[in-house]
Amino acid sequence: MRKRKDHQASENEKPNLIGTFISVMLLGAFIIITWFGAYALFISR
Amino acid sequence: MHLHKFEKIWLVCGIGSLVVFLFIVGYGAFWQGTHPQSHGVTIDPYNIESNEAFKPENLGLTKVDDDKYIVNIAASAFNYDLGKDEEGNAVKTIRIPKGSTVLFQAATKDVVHGFHVAGTNVNMMVEPGYVSSLETVMDNAGTYTIVCNEYCGVGHHMMYATVEVYE
Amino acid sequence: MELAKKDHEQPSVQSLAISKPESRLYMSFISVAFISLLIGGLMGLLQVFIRSGKFTLPAGIDYYQILTVHGVILGLVLTTYFIIGFHFSLMGKTVGISIKQRKTAWVAFWIMVIGTIMTAITILFGEASVLYTFYAPLRAHPAFYIGLALVIIGSWIAGFVNWRQLALWKKAHPDEKSPLLAFMVTVNTVMWFIASLGVAVAVLVQFIPWSLGYAETINVLISRTLFWYFGHPLVYFWLLPAYMAWYAIIPKIIGGKIFSDSLARLSFVLFLFFSIPVGFHHQLTEPGIDPTWKFIQVVLTFMVVIPSLMTAFSMFATFEITGRRKGAKGLFGWFKKLPWKDVRFLAPFIGMLAFIPGGAGGIINASHQMNALIHNTIWVTGHFHLTVATTVMLTFFGISYWLIPYLRGRKLTPNINRLGIIQAIIWTVGMTIMSGAMHIEGLLGAPRRSSYSEYGGGEQVSEWIGYQMAQAIGGTILFIGIVLMVYIFIKLTFFAPKGEEEFPIAEEEVDAQPTPAFFENWKLWIGITVALILAAYTIPFIEIIQTSPPGSVPFDFPIGR
Ligand code: HEM
Ligand SMILES: [Cu+2]
Ligand SMILES: [Cu+2]
């Protein structure tokens, strides 16, 4: 069973990357939040 | 070369955010005039007193108008010269009413120094041969320490002054 | 078991044997790096102690002398030596090295060692407490600058050897694409060469004649501009070897394949383009540079974020694809399939995580007027202890766990592996405390590069000192991590049991799309790089020269000379 799955994945044109997508989007959100945090501090000073 | 669909979306979002950041700072800089200090005004580094602002009698705080002040600072290792008070003592503290517009102007007599009114956006490099200046509105009351934040030698951490913004 | 089978599916083209004399060369570079780590770490420990206010140095030693040692030995010596040793190992493994090239590489090594010793002596005698940025018009002893010039020249020779290695390989393999790692090493050495031309000109044309008294004055702004033309690519010179490991070595360690050879090459080419024409983002608060040109370089700086966004995606994708192939289910099941107990993976992985706040902080630093929020505050120090002292260092440690035993014909034992995991955790804890405290203290306005001071006792300052206590705690933990790492280094080099260790180089998918041939067009890449540099620097540089104030005479007294 397992072996066959293996094979499929490597021949599959589009690997399933939904976890990757969510991860990078969270990373992007982190960047945006910290940037606007710093921006707010800059504006308030 | 092939990009996965999700990578395309990610790059569009990521680059889009960068563009938004740039637009925000660019708008501030070019339309509202909040560029970091960069006036390119030069001065004779061997004789900064040749510039009116840095004559001994003009150092420190000067009131130019209601709510408008100028602070001139001569930096040298390891001191900020803010002029003298009536008794002839060196001024170390400047008092400014809250809400004033203040123009800080600094020049160095020797090496590179920093000038940061800690806790505010008044943060500039002071380099030989140039006048550093930045105008700001002191909106928040409090006591701020001015620190030299560019290494200038063994006494670098002893180079400071104080700004009091009072109600 | 499955994985082991997969390794043999296709014969590796990228795997040459490394001979004993070669190993000796590579180990020499790497050893200097670890000696530097110990010395520099000790200085770091002293710094955090002094800054806590609870400790003073014995008379005659100055805080800034120690800080100069720390910055020079960790920022310049450790990084450059480790990277060159790693570069050579990769080239030796993927394209090979001839005896003549090896001899030339030894010349590079010794020139660098002589330069390092010259510089070290001037610092130890208190003749060069100018910090690793050596800003004019503070004047160090001429031997300090001459030593630095020798280190740079040595590193160039090493780079030239790398180029020659690839060129000969290509001659022997006319229609093949260059091995990915050899391509990456070449990008990094090309970038290093173009960038260090700036600091070389500053040192050779400005600092050396001026420090010797042949030139009366120095143009301060030009020297700073040349320095930062070099200074930003310098940090990418540190980062790219970590990216090499992430793209081409980590996939093998976790039992996967390279996500995309072309995208890896593309991101490296983008780093080459955008690492250099961005130096003004270190000079944003300087008075003599036109703000429009500052902004243009800020835009270019943001471009260099893009290849890092690509890298983030590639890393997660490698993890996910590998995990799913191992049978992971659900959204994040693949995460559990990663080899958490393998320090060769864990240490670099923590490095990747540290790059998330590191990168986010970097975008803030580069945001034009917002730079005033953090410029020259201790936030900046917190920032690069995340990026270089965590992301890059933990990846270099992760590389050392297999590279050193490989070169020494020894094995990474389970015992050392466990020590390595403890080391990575100690580092993470220590750095989180130290760097976190630095970030916050910096936002409160506290300056970097400053010995303990109460600044006349302002109310702000007492708050700063609290964070400096936290830095002392974090820094002490970090120092323990350094001692442990040096112990591991010695163990791997001299005492680990004899055996064979794998040199992990990942391969592409069997059905991977072919890499476009245009990636081998070095003339094009270098041409675009130079064009971007000229576009970003020509006009502001001419302006700086035309509006220059009188130059500065040297100053010795501020640094106690
Ligand atoms: C025990 C571990 C370490 C401790 C406790 C430590 C501590 C410090 C501290 C407190 C400073 C700032 C001092 C100041 O601004 O006054 C500093 C600066 C610096 N550190 Fe570290 N550090 C450590 C490891 C590292 C490592 C591993 C690297 C690089 C690979 C590194 C690179 C630097 C650099 C380049 C500077 C800047 C020096 C300068 O501003 O001139 N440090 N370190
Ligand atoms: Cu200073
Ligand atoms: Cu930079």
Short mmCIF file of all heavy atoms in Angstrom, two decimals, chain B residues 72-108:
data_model
loop_
_atom_site.label_atom_id
_atom_site.label_comp_id
_atom_site.label_asym_id
_atom_site.label_seq_id
_atom_site.Cartn_x
_atom_site.Cartn_y
_atom_site.Cartn_z
N ASN B 72 20.09 74.21 19.22
CA ASN B 72 21.35 74.00 18.51
C ASN B 72 22.33 73.27 19.41
O ASN B 72 22.48 73.61 20.58
CB ASN B 72 21.96 75.34 18.09
CG ASN B 72 21.07 76.05 17.07
OD1 ASN B 72 20.44 75.39 16.25
ND2 ASN B 72 21.02 77.37 17.14
N ILE B 73 22.99 72.28 18.84
CA ILE B 73 23.87 71.43 19.65
C ILE B 73 25.22 71.30 18.96
O ILE B 73 25.29 70.91 17.79
CB ILE B 73 23.29 70.01 19.82
CG1 ILE B 73 21.86 70.05 20.33
CG2 ILE B 73 24.17 69.16 20.74
CD1 ILE B 73 20.83 69.83 19.26
N ALA B 74 26.29 71.60 19.70
CA ALA B 74 27.63 71.32 19.19
C ALA B 74 28.12 70.05 19.86
O ALA B 74 28.30 70.00 21.07
CB ALA B 74 28.57 72.49 19.50
N ALA B 75 28.32 69.02 19.05
CA ALA B 75 28.76 67.73 19.60
C ALA B 75 30.27 67.62 19.49
O ALA B 75 30.87 68.07 18.52
CB ALA B 75 28.10 66.58 18.85
N SER B 76 30.87 67.07 20.54
CA SER B 76 32.30 66.75 20.48
C SER B 76 32.54 65.62 21.45
O SER B 76 31.73 65.36 22.33
CB SER B 76 33.15 67.97 20.84
OG SER B 76 32.89 68.33 22.18
N ALA B 77 33.67 64.93 21.28
CA ALA B 77 33.94 63.79 22.17
C ALA B 77 34.25 64.33 23.57
O ALA B 77 35.24 65.02 23.72
CB ALA B 77 35.12 62.98 21.63
N PHE B 78 33.49 64.09 24.59
CA PHE B 78 32.27 63.30 24.67
C PHE B 78 31.21 64.15 25.33
O PHE B 78 30.86 63.95 26.48
CB PHE B 78 32.54 62.03 25.50
CG PHE B 78 33.72 61.25 24.95
CD1 PHE B 78 34.98 61.35 25.54
CD2 PHE B 78 33.56 60.47 23.80
CE1 PHE B 78 36.06 60.64 25.01
CE2 PHE B 78 34.66 59.75 23.30
CZ PHE B 78 35.90 59.85 23.89
N ASN B 79 30.74 65.14 24.61
CA ASN B 79 29.88 66.15 25.21
C ASN B 79 28.92 66.75 24.17
O ASN B 79 29.27 66.89 23.01
CB ASN B 79 30.76 67.26 25.79
CG ASN B 79 29.96 68.33 26.46
OD1 ASN B 79 29.06 68.04 27.24
ND2 ASN B 79 30.27 69.58 26.16
N TYR B 80 27.71 67.07 24.64
CA TYR B 80 26.82 67.90 23.85
C TYR B 80 26.86 69.30 24.44
O TYR B 80 26.49 69.50 25.60
CB TYR B 80 25.38 67.39 23.93
CG TYR B 80 25.13 66.10 23.20
CD1 TYR B 80 24.62 65.00 23.88
CD2 TYR B 80 25.36 65.98 21.84
CE1 TYR B 80 24.36 63.81 23.23
CE2 TYR B 80 25.11 64.79 21.18
CZ TYR B 80 24.61 63.71 21.87
OH TYR B 80 24.35 62.53 21.22
N ASP B 81 27.30 70.26 23.67
CA ASP B 81 27.35 71.64 24.15
C ASP B 81 26.02 72.31 23.86
O ASP B 81 25.65 72.51 22.70
CB ASP B 81 28.50 72.38 23.46
CG ASP B 81 28.76 73.73 24.11
OD1 ASP B 81 27.89 74.19 24.87
OD2 ASP B 81 29.83 74.30 23.85
N LEU B 82 25.28 72.61 24.95
CA LEU B 82 23.97 73.26 24.82
C LEU B 82 24.03 74.68 25.34
O LEU B 82 23.03 75.24 25.79
CB LEU B 82 22.92 72.45 25.59
CG LEU B 82 22.64 71.04 25.05
CD1 LEU B 82 21.89 70.22 26.07
CD2 LEU B 82 21.86 71.13 23.76
N GLY B 83 25.21 75.26 25.33
CA GLY B 83 25.36 76.64 25.78
C GLY B 83 25.47 76.72 27.29
O GLY B 83 25.61 75.72 27.99
N LYS B 84 25.43 77.98 27.79
CA LYS B 84 25.58 78.21 29.23
C LYS B 84 24.36 78.92 29.79
O LYS B 84 23.70 79.68 29.08
CB LYS B 84 26.82 79.08 29.47
CG LYS B 84 28.11 78.42 29.02
CD LYS B 84 29.24 78.83 29.91
CE LYS B 84 30.44 77.91 29.81
NZ LYS B 84 30.92 77.64 28.45
N ASP B 85 24.06 78.65 31.05
CA ASP B 85 22.95 79.37 31.67
C ASP B 85 23.45 80.71 32.22
O ASP B 85 24.60 81.07 32.03
CB ASP B 85 22.28 78.50 32.75
CG ASP B 85 23.25 78.14 33.86
OD1 ASP B 85 24.31 78.79 33.97
OD2 ASP B 85 22.94 77.19 34.62
N GLU B 86 22.53 81.44 32.93
CA GLU B 86 22.91 82.78 33.40
C GLU B 86 24.14 82.76 34.29
O GLU B 86 24.94 83.67 34.30
CB GLU B 86 21.74 83.44 34.17
CG GLU B 86 20.65 84.00 33.26
CD GLU B 86 19.56 82.98 33.00
OE1 GLU B 86 18.92 82.55 33.99
OE2 GLU B 86 19.36 82.59 31.84
N GLU B 87 24.26 81.68 35.09
CA GLU B 87 25.41 81.62 36.01
C GLU B 87 26.68 81.14 35.32
O GLU B 87 27.72 80.99 35.96
CB GLU B 87 25.10 80.68 37.19
CG GLU B 87 24.20 81.30 38.24
CD GLU B 87 22.82 80.68 38.23
OE1 GLU B 87 22.73 79.46 38.46
OE2 GLU B 87 21.85 81.40 37.96
N GLY B 88 26.57 80.88 34.06
CA GLY B 88 27.76 80.44 33.33
C GLY B 88 28.03 78.95 33.42
O GLY B 88 29.10 78.49 33.03
N ASN B 89 27.04 78.19 33.94
CA ASN B 89 27.23 76.73 33.97
C ASN B 89 26.73 76.11 32.66
O ASN B 89 25.79 76.62 32.05
CB ASN B 89 26.45 76.12 35.13
CG ASN B 89 26.94 76.65 36.46
OD1 ASN B 89 28.14 76.84 36.65
ND2 ASN B 89 26.00 76.94 37.36
N ALA B 90 27.35 74.99 32.30
CA ALA B 90 26.93 74.32 31.08
C ALA B 90 25.50 73.81 31.23
O ALA B 90 25.14 73.22 32.25
CB ALA B 90 27.87 73.16 30.79
N VAL B 91 24.69 74.06 30.23
CA VAL B 91 23.30 73.57 30.25
C VAL B 91 23.30 72.07 29.94
O VAL B 91 23.95 71.63 29.01
CB VAL B 91 22.46 74.33 29.19
CG1 VAL B 91 21.07 73.73 29.10
CG2 VAL B 91 22.40 75.81 29.52
N LYS B 92 22.57 71.33 30.75
CA LYS B 92 22.48 69.89 30.50
C LYS B 92 21.03 69.46 30.26
O LYS B 92 20.77 68.36 29.79
CB LYS B 92 23.05 69.10 31.69
CG LYS B 92 24.57 69.04 31.70
CD LYS B 92 25.10 68.06 30.67
CE LYS B 92 26.21 68.67 29.84
NZ LYS B 92 26.40 68.14 28.51
N THR B 93 20.09 70.34 30.65
CA THR B 93 18.68 70.00 30.51
C THR B 93 17.96 71.11 29.77
O THR B 93 18.17 72.28 30.06
CB THR B 93 18.03 69.79 31.89
OG1 THR B 93 18.75 68.79 32.58
CG2 THR B 93 16.58 69.38 31.76
N ILE B 94 17.13 70.70 28.85
CA ILE B 94 16.34 71.68 28.08
C ILE B 94 14.89 71.45 28.39
O ILE B 94 14.42 70.31 28.43
CB ILE B 94 16.63 71.48 26.59
CG1 ILE B 94 17.97 72.12 26.26
CG2 ILE B 94 15.54 72.06 25.73
CD1 ILE B 94 18.35 71.93 24.84
N ARG B 95 14.15 72.55 28.65
CA ARG B 95 12.75 72.38 29.00
C ARG B 95 11.89 73.01 27.92
O ARG B 95 12.08 74.16 27.53
CB ARG B 95 12.46 73.03 30.37
CG ARG B 95 13.34 72.43 31.47
CD ARG B 95 12.95 72.91 32.85
NE ARG B 95 11.74 72.27 33.31
CZ ARG B 95 10.61 72.92 33.58
NH1 ARG B 95 10.55 74.22 33.44
NH2 ARG B 95 9.55 72.25 34.00
N ILE B 96 10.94 72.24 27.42
CA ILE B 96 10.11 72.69 26.30
C ILE B 96 8.65 72.40 26.65
O ILE B 96 8.33 71.31 27.12
CB ILE B 96 10.48 71.91 25.01
CG1 ILE B 96 11.96 72.12 24.68
CG2 ILE B 96 9.61 72.34 23.84
CD1 ILE B 96 12.45 71.24 23.55
N PRO B 97 7.74 73.38 26.42
CA PRO B 97 6.34 73.08 26.69
C PRO B 97 5.79 72.07 25.69
O PRO B 97 6.17 72.05 24.51
CB PRO B 97 5.65 74.44 26.53
CG PRO B 97 6.59 75.29 25.78
CD PRO B 97 7.97 74.76 26.01
N LYS B 98 4.89 71.26 26.19
CA LYS B 98 4.27 70.22 25.37
C LYS B 98 3.58 70.83 24.15
O LYS B 98 2.98 71.90 24.23
CB LYS B 98 3.26 69.48 26.23
CG LYS B 98 2.63 68.29 25.58
CD LYS B 98 1.65 67.62 26.52
CE LYS B 98 0.49 67.09 25.69
NZ LYS B 98 -0.53 66.44 26.51
N GLY B 99 3.67 70.16 23.05
CA GLY B 99 3.00 70.61 21.84
C GLY B 99 3.82 71.56 20.99
O GLY B 99 3.37 72.01 19.94
N SER B 100 5.03 71.89 21.44
CA SER B 100 5.85 72.82 20.66
C SER B 100 6.44 72.14 19.43
O SER B 100 6.69 70.94 19.43
CB SER B 100 7.02 73.34 21.49
OG SER B 100 6.62 73.68 22.76
N THR B 101 6.69 72.97 18.43
CA THR B 101 7.45 72.50 17.28
C THR B 101 8.91 72.83 17.53
O THR B 101 9.24 73.98 17.82
CB THR B 101 6.98 73.22 16.01
OG1 THR B 101 5.57 73.00 15.89
CG2 THR B 101 7.68 72.67 14.78
N VAL B 102 9.75 71.82 17.45
CA VAL B 102 11.16 72.03 17.79
C VAL B 102 12.03 71.61 16.63
O VAL B 102 11.87 70.52 16.08
CB VAL B 102 11.54 71.20 19.04
CG1 VAL B 102 12.95 71.55 19.49
CG2 VAL B 102 10.55 71.40 20.16
N LEU B 103 12.96 72.51 16.28
CA LEU B 103 13.94 72.16 15.26
C LEU B 103 15.27 71.86 15.95
O LEU B 103 15.83 72.73 16.62
CB LEU B 103 14.10 73.33 14.28
CG LEU B 103 15.22 73.19 13.25
CD1 LEU B 103 14.93 72.05 12.28
CD2 LEU B 103 15.43 74.48 12.48
N PHE B 104 15.72 70.64 15.83
CA PHE B 104 17.03 70.27 16.39
C PHE B 104 18.08 70.41 15.30
O PHE B 104 17.91 69.88 14.20
CB PHE B 104 17.01 68.82 16.88
CG PHE B 104 16.18 68.60 18.12
CD1 PHE B 104 14.85 68.21 18.02
CD2 PHE B 104 16.73 68.80 19.37
CE1 PHE B 104 14.08 68.01 19.15
CE2 PHE B 104 15.97 68.59 20.53
CZ PHE B 104 14.63 68.20 20.41
N GLN B 105 19.17 71.13 15.62
CA GLN B 105 20.28 71.24 14.66
C GLN B 105 21.58 70.86 15.36
O GLN B 105 21.89 71.40 16.41
CB GLN B 105 20.40 72.67 14.15
CG GLN B 105 19.13 73.20 13.50
CD GLN B 105 19.34 74.52 12.80
OE1 GLN B 105 19.33 74.59 11.60
NE2 GLN B 105 19.56 75.56 13.58
N ALA B 106 22.31 69.95 14.78
CA ALA B 106 23.54 69.49 15.44
C ALA B 106 24.69 69.45 14.45
O ALA B 106 24.51 69.21 13.25
CB ALA B 106 23.32 68.10 16.04
N ALA B 107 25.88 69.73 14.97
CA ALA B 107 27.10 69.59 14.16
C ALA B 107 28.21 69.10 15.08
O ALA B 107 28.17 69.32 16.29
CB ALA B 107 27.48 70.91 13.53
N THR B 108 29.20 68.41 14.50
CA THR B 108 30.29 67.88 15.31
C THR B 108 31.58 68.63 15.03
O THR B 108 31.83 69.07 13.92
CB THR B 108 30.50 66.37 15.06
OG1 THR B 108 31.75 65.98 15.64
CG2 THR B 108 30.52 66.03 13.58
#
